[in-house]
Amino acid sequence: MDIAALRLGNVGQLDSAEDVVRSLGAVQGQDYGQSLWAIGLRTASGRIADVEKALQDGSIVRTWLLRGTVHYVPAEDVRWMLGLFSARYLARQTPKVWQYHNMTPELMSLARKTFVDALTGGGCLTRREMIDLMADVGIPDDRQQSYFTFLNLAQEGVVVPGPPRGKEQTFVLLDEWAPHQRTLEGDDVLAELATRYFGSHGPATLADFANWCGIGVREAARGFEAVKPSLVCERFDGKEYWLPPDLTPGSGAYLLPAYDELVIGYKDRGAFFTRYDEIPISTYNGMFYATIIEDGQIAGLWRRVLKKTSVDVELQPLPGFDAGRLAGHVARFSAFLGLPVRVVVKDPPAAGSSKVSWRSRT
């Protein structure tokens, strides 16, 4: 079984950003520029404006969910996902964390009331405007109080990041921005996540699913059992991998953005390094690089350098990879951005090294 090629077979040509996000269950998105491409490359011909329009009209939402990390999800799924993940995140807010940020429950309550008053009735404020509101009621931002507050109130389901205003993040009230929420509770939540995960990430193990969610294996198993009858099991190297019965291997060369689900969606990423030398794909503190993929195998690193009227794509292919195979995907990337692309091939990253010469940037 070629695990990596089969996983690449999940990268279909869907119609819209909303279809992509729903199919994957959630799309990691803390790097805004990179994450737009993560969604776009999975559509047949979508452009960056199409993905941003989905954010502007509220069909998808970008907020803190799985593992306390920023993800895109369909707007109607925010609250039931918060029901599973938010209590875990808020429980990690120990007294020491509150003390570090110079925050108290009383100050959080004041910030909550201030924001609700300001946003009620369709309000939409930038991060800077929210920080100014906090300062007006006596809450400074000298210890990252704003970030701590925004994240906690998002986990409570009070606010959610709204439509971007240019390059600035905004906040809105969740109840007003996405009033039509699906209702899922208990093991139905786990089953829904398992259905989406194995349907879009398989072949995957139960441990992969648990790691993706950020929950324990026993809890993940409750959701997995519900979807298990619809999946096929393949045993490889002593592990059970589960996948949809109609999945076929993918092929071709791709430019994957940093934090792409094809790489980050698994606990064990060894299947991506059976053809080329193994290279670091993240930093010691969890920053993931943009990768070159060939038939599911990691074949190098890349980055984009945006200019006023064009973009450079700088490639660091591994020895043995023909960069010419990327021509079609580079053209797709150019069409997505609506900019001409110049390809620059650089020396390969050092195999087995703990460092690389540059970090993927937006």
Side-chain angles (χ1 to χ4, degrees):
M1 179 176 65
D2 190 335
I3 296 171
L6 283 165
R7 288 173 177 171
L8 186 62
N10 287 304
V11 182
Q13 299 298 302
L14 299 173
D15 290 333
S16 69
E18 187 176 0
D19 289 340
V20 170
V21 172
R22 180 171 286 103
S23 173
L24 288 169
V27 177
Q28 190 149 340
Q30 70 264 50
D31 189 321
Y32 181 72
Q34 296 279 347
S35 61
L36 296 178
W37 174 229
I39 296 172
L41 73 86
R42 290 172 167 85
T43 64
S45 59
R47 304 294 191 262
I48 191 169
D50 299 322
V51 182
E52 293 191 307
K53 182 178 182 298
L55 285 167
Q56 292 286 346
D57 65 24
S59 58
I60 61 174
V61 167
R62 179 173 173 259
T63 190
W64 295 272
L65 287 167
L66 287 73
R67 308 183 301 279
T69 305
V70 176
H71 281 77
Y72 295 91
V73 295
E76 69 270 19
D77 291 339
V78 173
R79 199 165 288 285
W80 67 260
M81 286 194 182
L82 284 175
L84 177 64
F85 299 118
S86 64
R88 303 162 198 271
Y89 178 83
L90 293 172
R92 297 200 298 269
Q93 304 305 312
T94 64
K96 285 187 177 180
V97 174
W98 283 77
Q99 184 178 16
Y100 173 82
H101 291 287
N102 280 348
M103 287 294 290
T104 65
E106 292 75 20
L107 288 175
M108 186 65 70
S109 179
L110 175 60
R112 184 186 301 109
K113 181 181 184 304
T114 300
F115 294 154
V116 170
D117 289 346
L119 296 172
T120 295
C124 178
L125 297 174
T126 66
R127 178 187 289 268
R128 181 70 257 170
E129 290 166 343
M130 299 276 274
I131 292 173
D132 290 342
L133 277 179
M134 292 177 66
D136 289 343
V137 296
I139 306 174
D141 195 34
D142 57 333
R143 299 295 294 273
Q144 294 184 309
Q145 289 92 330
S146 64
Y147 181 78
F148 182 73
T149 300
F150 300 158
L151 206 158
N152 274 263
L153 294 183
Q155 292 290 322
E156 291 178 15
V158 177
V159 300
V160 69
R165 190 185 300 172
K167 294 184 178 181
E168 293 187 88
Q169 184 183 58
T170 70
F171 287 89
V172 293
L173 294 179
L174 175 59
D175 285 345
E176 293 188 352
W177 184 244
H180 305 295
Q181 294 289 309
R182 293 183 65 196
T183 301
L184 288 174
E185 297 178 348
D187 286 356
D188 288 342
V189 170
L190 297 169
E192 180 70 15
L193 285 171
T195 298
R196 297 187 188 187
Y197 178 80
F198 286 99
S200 61
H201 291 71
T205 66
L206 176 58
D208 288 328
F209 173 52
N211 185 72
W212 180 75
C213 291
I215 61 179
V217 172
R218 287 186 180 181
E219 187 175 13
R222 302 207 310 267
F224 171 68
E225 288 301 319
V227 69
K228 186 176 178 179
S230 66
L231 301 173
V232 172
C233 178
E234 295 283 352
R235 289 173 172 81
F236 183 81
D237 199 23
K239 296 180 181 179
E240 290 186 345
Y241 290 84
W242 298 86
L243 64 155
D246 57 350
L247 184 62
T248 57
S251 62
Y254 293 79
L255 297 171
L256 294 189
Y259 302 98
D260 191 83
E261 286 291 320
L262 186 61
V263 175
I264 206 168
Y266 306 93
K267 182 176 183 179
D268 182 354
R269 304 183 180 101
F272 301 120
F273 293 103
T274 64
R275 181 178 298 177
Y276 297 101
D277 291 335
E278 186 167 349
I279 55 171
I281 57 175
S282 65
T283 65
Y284 71 93
N285 61 346
M287 300 286 289
F288 276 77
Y289 305 119
T291 56
I292 301 168
I293 295 287
E294 181 187 39
D295 304 333
Q297 296 293 314
I298 290 177
L301 305 175
W302 71 284
R303 70 168 179 171
R304 71 177 193 178
V305 180
L306 286 173
K307 300 182 177 181
K308 287 185 178 180
T309 58
S310 64
V311 59
D312 282 357
V313 169
E314 297 183 353
L315 306 177
Q316 279 193 308
L318 286 169
F321 173 73
D322 178 7
R325 289 202 68 189
L326 284 166
H329 205 57
V330 168
R332 173 72 184 92
F333 184 56
S334 175
F336 175 77
L337 294 176
L339 294 170
V341 168
R342 181 178 73 116
V343 176
V344 180
V345 181
K346 297 198 167 188
D347 292 336
S353 171
S354 62
K355 298 180 180 179
V356 293
S357 60
W358 43 258
R359 179 182 300 176
S360 171
R361 303 173 185 170
T362 54

